[in-house]
Amino acid sequence: MVSLTDRILPLVGVALGALMSFLVSSLNERARWRRQQSVRWDEHRLTAYAEYAHAVKELAARYHMIAAARGLVSGPTELEPTPDVLTELGELESRRSALSETLGLLGDTEANTASKTLDHCLWRLETLARGVPTEVEQNWDQAFQEFRSARSRYVESARASLGVPGAVARDVTWPAAWRPTSRSSSSPSPSPSP
């Protein structure tokens, strides 16, 4: 005659096996869902980082051209700050601001902080290009170099947020023979584009 224990032990084993199988499959499903969510948000984050960087670069290029028209820098095509140009700049700034809000929602702390510094440098370029007086005087070349440094820090922070390894690029010297010459001997040397 089979004892009660001999009958219950196989049932307990089957129940424990089913419970363990359920727990393992639940954990696997949860991990898969988290990976999918991470990939989904990384795609949105990449788009936000890239679109914001492009909007900032576009504005900086326009400010650079206005600065050239004012004689602050040589090299880029000059752009007079006509009412149409100022309207276009306002639209571009509105777009940059909206993209900055998306960045604030999706970006990590370091990338968002770097974007705020970049905004400040961009606005400094705008004030110089438009001839708006400020408490501290600064020349265009210095402000533009600070902008480029801030932009590099932003790109590095965005890449780190996305888990992209390595440096953005190695320094590559532009051959002297390829550099444009100044328009006149009294004008400042050309600054590289943003």
Side-chain angles (χ1 to χ4, degrees):
M1 187 163 165
V2 178
S3 72
L4 184 62
T5 307
D6 291 341
R7 289 186 208 168
I8 293 178
L9 282 178
L11 291 175
V12 169
V14 168
L16 281 175
L19 179 65
M20 292 300 290
S21 176
F22 173 77
L23 288 175
V24 168
S25 64
S26 293
L27 290 173
N28 284 338
E29 186 63 29
R30 181 180 230 169
R32 186 175 66 80
W33 182 83
R34 284 183 179 159
R35 278 191 306 272
Q36 287 175 338
Q37 291 301 309
S38 175
V39 167
R40 176 180 158 205
W41 288 114
D42 279 350
E43 289 173 5
H44 291 293
R45 196 174 294 119
L46 170 63
T47 300
Y49 286 150
E51 287 181 355
Y52 169 80
H54 179 72
V56 167
K57 189 173 183 177
E58 192 171 6
L59 277 164
R62 296 284 165 61
Y63 296 146
H64 203 173
M65 293 185 319
I66 292 172
R70 291 193 57 237
L72 299 176
V73 66
S74 64
T77 304
E78 296 178 5
L79 182 64
E80 292 295 329
T82 64
D84 288 341
V85 168
L86 294 177
T87 298
E88 179 188 5
L89 286 172
E91 291 168 1
L92 289 172
E93 175 57 27
S94 292
R95 180 173 178 265
R96 186 220 50 82
S97 179
L99 292 170
S100 180
E101 294 299 321
T102 303
L103 193 63
L105 292 170
L106 297 174
D108 72 0
T109 303
E110 293 304 315
N112 287 341
T113 302
S115 76
K116 298 305 176 204
T117 302
L118 184 55
D119 286 342
H120 295 169
C121 290
L122 179 68
W123 296 331
R124 180 65 180 141
L125 292 180
E126 178 187 16
T127 60
L128 287 169
R130 294 180 66 184
V132 176
T134 58
E135 290 182 21
V136 177
E137 287 301 314
Q138 185 178 27
N139 70 30
W140 176 266
D141 290 336
Q142 180 185 2
F144 193 76
Q145 190 56 43
E146 289 174 11
F147 166 78
R148 288 180 60 129
S149 296
R151 186 172 184 279
S152 292
R153 282 191 302 276
Y154 166 74
V155 170
E156 288 168 5
S157 297
R159 286 170 53 92
S161 170
L162 293 167
V164 178
V168 174
R170 292 184 179 88
D171 285 337
V172 177
T173 304
W174 195 14
W178 295 358
R179 294 183 187 168
T181 57
S182 298
R183 294 180 193 180
S184 70
S185 58
S186 64
S187 60
S189 63
S191 297
S193 64

